[in-house]
Amino acid sequence: MKTLVLTVVATIALAGAAMADPVEGTWRTAPDDNGNFGLVQIAPCGPKLCGTLVQAYNSAGQRITSPNVGRQIIWDMVAQGNGSYGNGRVWAPDRDKTYRSKMQLSGDRLAVSGCVLGGAICRDANWVRHR
C-alpha cells in the first residue's frame, strides 16, 4: 500500500511538471538603455503568466542592488499557442514605461515586443533562457 501511495504521488508530481508552460523559467533580458540587464522569472499568476525581476546586473555583468528586484515587470500575458503569447504588459525600468506586449518563444530565445501610445512608440528585445 505504501508503494502504491508513493507511486501515485510521484505520478501527480510528474504530471504537474509536464503541464508547465514552455516559457516558464528564468530569462536573461537584453541590455537596457543604460547597459543594465536582469534575470526575469516567468511563472503562472492565475490563468495568465507574469514575470518578476529576480536579479539585476550592470553593463560589466556585475550583480547590482536595484529597487526593481522583486518587482513584477510582466503581467497579464496569455498563451496563444505555437510559442506565441499576447495581451500582456511589460514594464521597462530604464524608461519607466509600460508597454502593451507580446512574446514569441523559439527554443531558448524569447522575442519580447511592445508598444505605448497606440503603437507610436515600440520596443523589441530578445531574451535568452538562463540555466
Side-chain angles (χ1 to χ4, degrees):
M1 183 67 163
K2 186 175 181 181
T3 303
L4 176 62
V5 171
L6 289 175
T7 302
V8 170
V9 170
T11 301
I12 291 170
L14 291 174
M19 291 189 293
D21 192 286
V23 79
E24 288 180 38
T26 305
W27 295 88
R28 179 181 167 160
T29 69
D32 66 15
D33 290 345
N34 303 312
N36 299 333
F37 63 94
L39 297 180
V40 174
Q41 178 72 41
I42 297 178
C45 53
K48 300 179 181 182
L49 293 163
C50 297
T52 302
L53 182 66
V54 294
Q55 289 181 15
Y57 299 87
N58 64 19
S59 59
Q62 299 166 323
R63 194 170 180 173
I64 58 174
T65 301
S66 168
N68 299 317
V69 169
R71 184 166 178 180
Q72 191 175 78
I73 65 168
I74 298 173
W75 63 95
D76 290 342
M77 200 62 71
V78 178
Q80 298 178 326
N82 296 322
S84 294
Y85 301 84
N87 301 323
R89 301 285 186 268
V90 173
W91 177 67
D94 60 335
R95 297 186 186 177
D96 194 23
K97 298 235 183 279
T98 300
Y99 297 81
R100 300 174 95 198
S101 186
K102 61 184 179 179
M103 304 185 307
Q104 180 65 49
L105 178 64
S106 180
D108 285 339
R109 304 237 179 250
L110 185 64
V112 180
S113 60
C115 298
V116 294
L117 299 174
I121 300 172
C122 299
R123 285 179 90 175
D124 298 311
N126 290 301
W127 297 4
V128 178
R129 189 176 299 275
H130 181 75
R131 298 196 186 251

